[in-house]
């Protein structure tokens, strides 16, 4: 038995070791990264990266269709991965393992191939309150298509699916029950066996979203007795763009294809009915993501032994880190956990009293710490918890206790560094932030001053400070003006924009947000658009401006700060 040795494990991940020079001395931590966003996607071990490269460099060919050697080699590796997955989750046969793009596509396949063809308006679909959007929206679409009704299983105080009263929600009317094995926000292992058994007892079909489970706990689909189990490779040290739909063979046999095309057919004719291939190929139209499948096989080879033998210590090490992280966070007075109690896997969600989630996340980013803020694709859960978002730390076995301590120290510093306190102004003055001092009338701030300011500061850490300071000085909009008319949709933190126009056709914008970082960015954006005509506004190159300021990464829609949504709204309001 090879025991799990954390330091050796960590060494297997090139990205992790590349950025591992973090230090409690901030001046040395510029290029280091502490990666605590593993629930979004994990890093990849060298053997997975190398395996994909070998495929492209040594035996790249399409699978299943040619009789030449390269294709045979590719097909062999491709199908070997399927067998590895089958064994990994304890499925009966490789016919039950369908390749998809990931969890999301797997759910959509079941919904559109099976649910859409069987549901009626007399039927019910049961989901859970903490589902990821991937396990909500496809069901909402099919409910709209068929008239079926969605019912929601509640959570108990600790964040688990409440199974104390399943009869109230799952009845003879229920045709599908779909819920997550582990929520990507709450980190609790749900009592899915009870839910599956209840679904079965009323003749409903069960689908389990295992996206957050497969990297942390051994899954046995036969023991669970679920009808479908879905997951993505990229959350278990494997490549992106590949995932699995496990389904019981009898169900899959009776389901029509999801998509049509090459490889999923037996015969195609213009005069006779087209016939379909056998399982699993019936559901795999077109050339698959061959390199990703082969890389996925390698990640299973890597992960399976760690999960299979609990004595090795992989899970123990993960749990040790979660305990430590949770306990250290609990010592910070402002931390409010989304649900109390140490999570079952390394997913810890919390808010910080008096601080906006985005401000905390971007401040930590300036110290090289990657955590997530936002709704985590679980907006109904946020609504249930009465919050508009939260912070999430998600750990993997290549993380360390030292990284957690560094994160906690940085978090404490961020909380001390409250930009709304006058003391910061003094501190910043002492640090020669003379330019910032000159930015008095921010409502009419000149673009050239902003450019001067940002060309004199170097590095993300300093730029981030300046943005926060600009945000601090932006006057708040009156409460009454922060309304449905002024709100900017597409921005993850609440933001509002108001427009005025002079008789000369010159525009003046004022804006506000509940996040200081966004307020700072708004100052920068408004400086570019204020006192301009519609034509000047429409011709302005915002990307070039942000590039010049060294802030181009803030224009990515995926950053969640929605700056592009703000720019779009400005352009919409400035009518030519
Ligand atoms: N379900 C859960 C619980 C998840 O955490 C995720 C990914 N965040 C998904 C579904 C969707 O996975 P993918 O984007 O890989 O399809």
């Amino acid at each position: 038995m090879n025991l799990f040795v954390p330091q050796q494990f960590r060494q297997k991940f090139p990205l992790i070791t590349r950025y591992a020079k973090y230090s409690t001395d901030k001046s040395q931590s510029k290029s280091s990264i502490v990666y605590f966003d593993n629930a979004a996607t994990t890093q990849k071990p060298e053997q997975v990266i190398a395996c994909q490269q070998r495929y492209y460099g040594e035996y790249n060919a399409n699978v299943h269709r040619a009789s030449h050697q390269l294709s045979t080699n590719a097909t062999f590796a491709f199908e070997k991965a399927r067998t590895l997955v089958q064994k990994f989750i304890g499925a009966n046969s490789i016919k039950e393992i369908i390749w998809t793009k990931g969890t999301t596509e797997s759910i959509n396949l079941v919904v559109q191939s099976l649910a859409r063809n069987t549901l009626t308006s007399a039927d019910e679909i049961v989901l859970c309150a903490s589902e990821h959007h991937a396990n909500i929206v496809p069901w909402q679409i099919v409910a709209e298509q068929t008239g079926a009704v969605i019912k929601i299983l509640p959570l108990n105080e600790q964040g688990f699916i409440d199974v104390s009263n399943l009869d109230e929600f799952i009845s003879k009317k229920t045709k599908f029950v779909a819920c997550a094995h582990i929520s990507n926000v709450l980190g609790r292992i749900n009592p899915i066996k009870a839910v599956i058994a209840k679904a079965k007892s009323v003749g409903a079909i069960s689908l389990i979203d295992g996206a957050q489970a497969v990297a942390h706990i051994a899954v046995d689909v036969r023991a669970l007795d679920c009808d479908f189990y879905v997951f993505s490779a990229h959350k278990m040290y494997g490549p992106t763009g590949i995932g699995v739909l496990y389904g019981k063979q009898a169900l899959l046999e009776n389901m029509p294809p999801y998509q049509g095309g090459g490889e999923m057919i037996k015969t195609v004719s213009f005069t006779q009915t087209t016939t379909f291939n056998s399982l699993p190929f019936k559901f795999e139209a077109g050339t698959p993501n061959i390199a990703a499948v082969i890389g996925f096989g390698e990640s299973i080879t890597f992960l399976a032994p760690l999960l299979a033998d609990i004595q090795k210590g992989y899970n123990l090490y993960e749990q040790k880190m979660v305990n430590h992280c949770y306990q250290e966070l609990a010592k910070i007075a402002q931390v409010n956990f989304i649900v109390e109690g140490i999570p079952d896997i390394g997913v810890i969600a919390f808010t910080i009293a008096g601080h906006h989630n985005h401000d905390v996340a971007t401040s930590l980013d300036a110290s090289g710490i990657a955590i997530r803020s936002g709704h985590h694709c679980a907006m109904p859960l946020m609504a249930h918890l009465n919050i508009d978002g939260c912070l999430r730390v998600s750990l993997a076995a290549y993380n360390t206790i030292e990284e957690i301590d560094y994160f906690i120290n940085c978090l404490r510093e961020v909380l001390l560094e409250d930009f709304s306190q006058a003391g910061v102004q003094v501190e910043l003055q002492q640090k020669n932030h003379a330019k910032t001092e000159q930015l008095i009338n921010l409502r009419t701030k000149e673009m050239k001053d902003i450019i001067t300011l940002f060309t004199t500061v170097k590095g993300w850490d300093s730029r981030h400070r300046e943005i926060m300071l600009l945000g601090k000085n932006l006057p708040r909009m009156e409460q009454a003006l922060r309304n449905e008319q002024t709100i900017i949709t597409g921005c993850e933190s609440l933001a509002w924009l108001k427009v005025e126009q002079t008789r000369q056709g010159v525009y003046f914008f004022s804006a506000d947000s509940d996040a200081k970082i966004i307020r700072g960015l708004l100052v920068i954006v408004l400086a570019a658009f204020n006192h301009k005509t519609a034509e000047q506004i429409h011709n302005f190159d915002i990307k070039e401006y942000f590039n010049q300021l060294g802030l181009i990464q803030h224009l990515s829609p995926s950053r969640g700060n929605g700056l592009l949504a703000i720019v779009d709204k400005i352009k919409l309001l400035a009518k030519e």
Side-chain angles (χ1 to χ4, degrees):
M1 177 180 72
N2 294 324
L3 278 179
F4 177 75
V5 182
Q7 271 310 325
Q8 281 175 14
F9 186 78
R10 187 172 164 82
Q11 292 307 314
K12 294 179 197 281
F13 292 82
L15 186 141
I16 295 293
T17 52
R18 180 190 188 116
Y19 296 111
K21 285 191 256 35
Y22 68 89
S23 155
T24 40
D25 174 0
K26 272 202 170 178
S27 62
Q28 289 180 20
S29 66
K30 293 284 182 280
S31 62
S32 69
I33 292 175
V34 169
Y35 186 72
F36 283 173
D37 194 16
N38 295 288
T41 197
T42 56
Q43 300 304 336
K44 321 302 172 200
E46 177 61 34
Q47 71 190 73
V48 170
I49 299 168
C51 170
Q52 282 193 276
Q53 215 166 0
R54 253 196 325 276
Y55 161 68
Y56 281 126
E58 295 174 22
Y59 58 100
N60 173 48
N62 213 328
V63 288
H64 287 303
R65 20 194 114 185
S67 49
H68 56 76
Q69 191 57 48
L70 281 179
S71 176
T72 308
N73 293 350
T75 305
F76 179 76
F78 183 84
E79 287 306 321
K80 185 176 153 208
R82 202 188 303 268
T83 307
L84 284 167
V85 170
Q86 178 219 333
K87 298 217 158 73
F88 181 67
I89 58 169
N92 275 321
S93 151
I94 54 154
K95 289 177 187 292
E96 297 181 322
I97 307 297
I98 316 285
W99 299 128
T100 63
K101 275 193 298 185
T103 307
T104 305
E105 192 180 46
S106 299
I107 297 170
N108 277 283
L109 192 163
V110 174
V111 166
Q112 286 303 314
S113 167
L114 183 61
R116 187 175 185 176
N117 292 311
T118 50
L119 284 171
T120 70
S121 57
D123 298 331
E124 290 177 354
I125 301 159
V126 173
L127 310 176
C128 165
S130 54
E131 290 315 306
H132 187 281
H133 296 164
N135 200 26
I136 298 174
V137 185
W139 297 107
Q140 289 176 327
I141 291 172
V142 81
E144 187 70 30
Q145 287 163 338
T146 61
V149 173
I150 294 178
K151 286 193 126 186
I152 305 299
L153 283 176
L155 299 172
N156 65 19
E157 283 278 292
Q158 294 77 40
F160 296 95
I161 296 177
D162 186 352
V163 287
S164 64
N165 204 4
L166 284 179
D167 290 348
E168 198 185 306
F169 299 91
I170 301 176
S171 70
K172 284 271 176 237
K173 285 185 173 177
T174 312
K175 293 295 174 290
F176 288 89
V177 178
C179 62
H181 202 160
I182 303 182
S183 145
N184 63 313
V185 182
L186 304 170
R188 302 283 195 253
I189 302 176
N190 277 318
I192 53 164
K193 259 192 128 168
V195 178
I196 295 164
K198 179 68 198 167
K200 203 168 179 195
S201 74
V202 297
I205 286 167
S206 55
L207 179 147
I208 303 301
D209 170 357
Q212 293 298 337
V214 277
H216 305 287
I217 56 175
V219 170
D220 181 340
V221 288
R222 263 180 301 176
L224 288 172
D225 200 20
C226 55
D227 294 306
F228 296 103
Y229 195 95
V230 298
F231 54 105
S232 306
H234 70 95
K235 293 183 198 281
M236 48 194 293
Y237 312 123
T240 51
I242 191 72
V244 171
L245 165 65
Y246 157 80
K248 283 185 178 163
Q249 189 175 342
L251 278 167
L252 291 171
E253 294 284 9
N254 287 320
M255 284 161 56
Y258 174 53
Q259 292 181 333
E263 241 358 83
M264 50 74 69
I265 49 85
K266 220 177 247 155
T267 59
V268 180
S269 154
F270 284 129
T271 53
Q272 269 151 26
T273 314
T274 289
T275 56
F276 303 125
N277 208 337
S278 54
L279 286 175
F281 311 110
K282 181 173 79 171
F283 291 107
E284 294 175 2
T287 299
N289 192 344
I290 304 166
V293 167
I294 292 171
F296 188 12
E298 192 63 30
S299 69
I300 300 273
T301 304
F302 176 78
L303 175 64
L306 299 170
L307 289 175
D309 187 352
I310 209 145
Q311 302 301 328
K312 281 192 172 162
Y314 172 80
N315 293 103
L316 269 180
Y317 179 68
E318 284 199 328
Q319 202 53 50
K320 180 177 155 191
M321 280 196 299
V322 189
N323 294 353
H324 184 68
C325 191
Y326 184 89
Q327 278 152 6
E328 290 303 310
L329 279 170
K331 289 181 193 161
I332 301 176
Q334 296 99 315
V335 166
N336 294 312
F337 293 109
I338 294 308
V339 284
E340 290 297 326
I342 299 174
D344 297 325
I345 63 161
V347 170
I348 308 177
F350 55 97
T351 56
I352 301 217
H355 294 260
H356 193 278
N357 302 315
H358 281 337
D359 291 337
V360 177
T362 54
S363 293
L364 289 171
D365 182 41
S367 296
I369 299 170
I371 71 164
R372 274 292 271 279
S373 79
H375 54 60
H376 311 286
C377 295
M379 284 170 106
L381 175 63
M382 299 297 124
H384 169 76
L385 297 166
N386 221 1
I387 51 176
D388 59 4
C390 60
L391 293 159
R392 181 185 71 185
V393 168
S394 54
L395 306 167
Y398 42 66
N399 290 131
T400 64
I401 297 287
E402 288 73 26
E403 284 182 321
I404 294 170
D405 290 342
Y406 173 68
F407 153 67
I408 296 286
N409 282 341
C410 290
L411 180 59
R412 284 184 187 281
E413 272 181 41
V414 167
L415 301 190
L416 283 177
E417 245 181 33
D418 185 347
F419 285 85
S420 67
Q421 283 166 13
V424 173
Q425 187 66 32
V426 175
E427 189 201 325
L428 288 172
Q429 278 168 11
Q430 286 165 349
K431 287 189 177 175
N432 275 339
H433 287 247
K435 289 279 178 224
T436 312
E437 264 296 274
Q438 291 164 16
L439 299 174
I440 302 158
N441 186 0
L442 287 157
R443 282 165 69 85
T444 55
K445 197 70 240 122
E446 295 277 338
M447 203 170 101
K448 64 178 171 29
D449 293 336
I450 301 267
I451 293 174
T452 311
L453 171 65
F454 277 86
T455 42
T456 54
V457 292
K458 297 277 173 267
W460 170 234
D461 199 1
S462 319
R463 289 193 168 106
H464 174 260
R465 274 184 155 274
E466 297 298 346
I467 300 170
M468 293 295 268
L469 207 59
L470 289 175
K472 182 210 151 196
N473 288 330
L474 180 72
R476 299 290 331 235
M477 247 183 181
E478 278 171 47
Q479 186 69 38
L481 284 175
R482 290 185 249 155
N483 56 32
E484 284 298 303
Q485 271 78 49
T486 57
I487 200 153
I488 304 164
T489 50
C491 191
E492 239 192 61
S493 26
L494 290 176
W496 303 268
L497 181 75
K498 184 173 150 290
V499 64
E500 290 159 75
Q501 194 186 9
T502 65
R503 260 185 266 133
Q504 291 75 35
V506 169
Y507 282 88
F508 180 77
F509 299 92
S510 42
D512 194 5
S513 169
D514 54 357
K516 285 185 203 100
I517 184 85
I518 303 297
R519 284 213 293 278
L521 290 166
L522 280 169
V523 172
I524 296 168
V525 169
L526 295 195
F529 289 113
N530 266 340
H531 302 293
K532 293 215 162 84
T533 63
E535 193 186 355
Q536 288 170 322
I537 288 172
H538 283 274
N539 288 337
F540 186 74
D541 187 346
I542 189 81
K543 287 206 171 116
E544 178 47 39
Y545 175 51
F546 264 66
N547 205 10
Q548 208 179 347
L549 302 181
L551 299 173
I552 193 71
Q553 71 272 37
H554 273 287
L555 276 187
S556 149
S558 59
R559 282 212 51 123
N561 60 35
L563 262 201
L564 281 181
I566 294 165
V567 173
D568 285 349
K569 180 138 186 189
I570 287 175
K571 292 197 169 171
L572 196 77
L573 291 172
K575 296 202 185 68
E576 283 183 289

